Amino acid sequence: MPRGFTLFELVISIAVLSILLMAAGPSFTRLLEDQSVKRFAGEIEGFFIQAKSESVLQNKKLNLFYIDDSVSWIISLNPEGSSVATIAEAKNTSLAFIESLNHPNITMSSSISALTFDPVRATPNLSRSFYFYKDNNKKLKLSVHNITGRIKLCGLEGAFYGYKKC
């Protein structure tokens, strides 16, 4: 009685496995893209929390700058009194930053270019929102409130990536 598999049985098994993997490929790609957006959402939310904490820790007003030069973008946390106009200036003077180079294919936008965090209350001087997405139909919105200092992350037009609808 022979033991093992014949070459024909191995070829058939590999062919069936290949077909199953090809069918799972597109959904796996979508899963990876969704995870990269969720990871970025957590990172940007953490960055805003860090900005609030750092302002209190240093007992100084800190500026958060958002610069978008249509090719790339950056969000940087800079000491009070600093003013930046370019991404290179933001990198050179920042305490911390997040840039599009580390997050390819994520588009970001905001109606403001700067926020100032108060060192006593850990609140920004303005209530503003930042929008980001990889898929234009699944935009996420990060809002900061100037009175409470609350940071809220939600899906703009629906529940996306595990975040509730705004």
Side-chain angles (χ1 to χ4, degrees):
M1 177 178 233
R3 294 183 160 226
F5 300 104
T6 66
L7 181 60
F8 181 70
E9 290 171 332
L10 288 174
V11 169
I12 295 298
S13 298
I14 290 173
V16 169
L17 185 61
S18 298
I19 291 169
L20 290 173
L21 287 175
M22 287 184 348
S27 73
F28 186 69
T29 303
R30 191 173 336 132
L31 177 70
L32 289 176
E33 288 178 1
D34 288 356
Q35 287 300 319
S36 71
V37 173
K38 284 174 82 171
R39 187 175 52 249
F40 177 73
E43 187 174 336
I44 196 82
E45 187 175 24
F47 186 80
F48 275 79
I49 292 169
Q50 178 188 7
K52 291 171 49 170
S53 299
E54 197 67 32
S55 179
V56 171
L57 182 68
Q58 291 188 14
N59 196 25
K60 294 179 184 174
K61 288 185 177 181
L62 295 179
N63 295 328
L64 187 136
F65 293 106
Y66 168 70
I67 300 170
D68 186 350
D69 66 5
S70 75
V71 175
S72 57
W73 53 262
I74 190 169
I75 296 176
S76 69
L77 184 63
N78 299 65
E80 182 185 25
S82 61
S83 62
V84 297
T86 66
I87 290 177
E89 288 175 356
K91 282 183 178 180
N92 289 336
T93 62
S94 74
L95 302 170
F97 63 87
I98 297 176
E99 64 178 328
S100 59
L101 264 166
N102 298 331
H103 304 283
N105 304 322
I106 291 185
T107 303
M108 187 156 199
S109 64
S110 181
S111 61
I112 63 146
S113 59
L115 284 175
T116 302
F117 286 92
D118 179 66
V120 176
R121 295 179 53 223
T123 56
N125 61 333
L126 303 167
S127 290
R128 288 295 185 244
S129 297
F130 294 81
Y131 305 92
F132 55 94
Y133 58 91
K134 204 169 212 177
D135 178 353
N136 197 22
N137 298 319
K138 294 181 178 180
K139 290 184 181 179
L140 290 179
K141 175 183 174 182
L142 182 128
S143 302
V144 289
H145 195 270
N146 68 327
I147 295 174
T148 62
R150 181 177 181 210
I151 299 168
K152 181 181 177 185
L153 194 54
C154 57
L156 190 59
E157 296 172 1
F160 306 122
Y161 311 111
Y163 295 99
K164 295 180 182 177
K165 182 179 178 180
C166 297

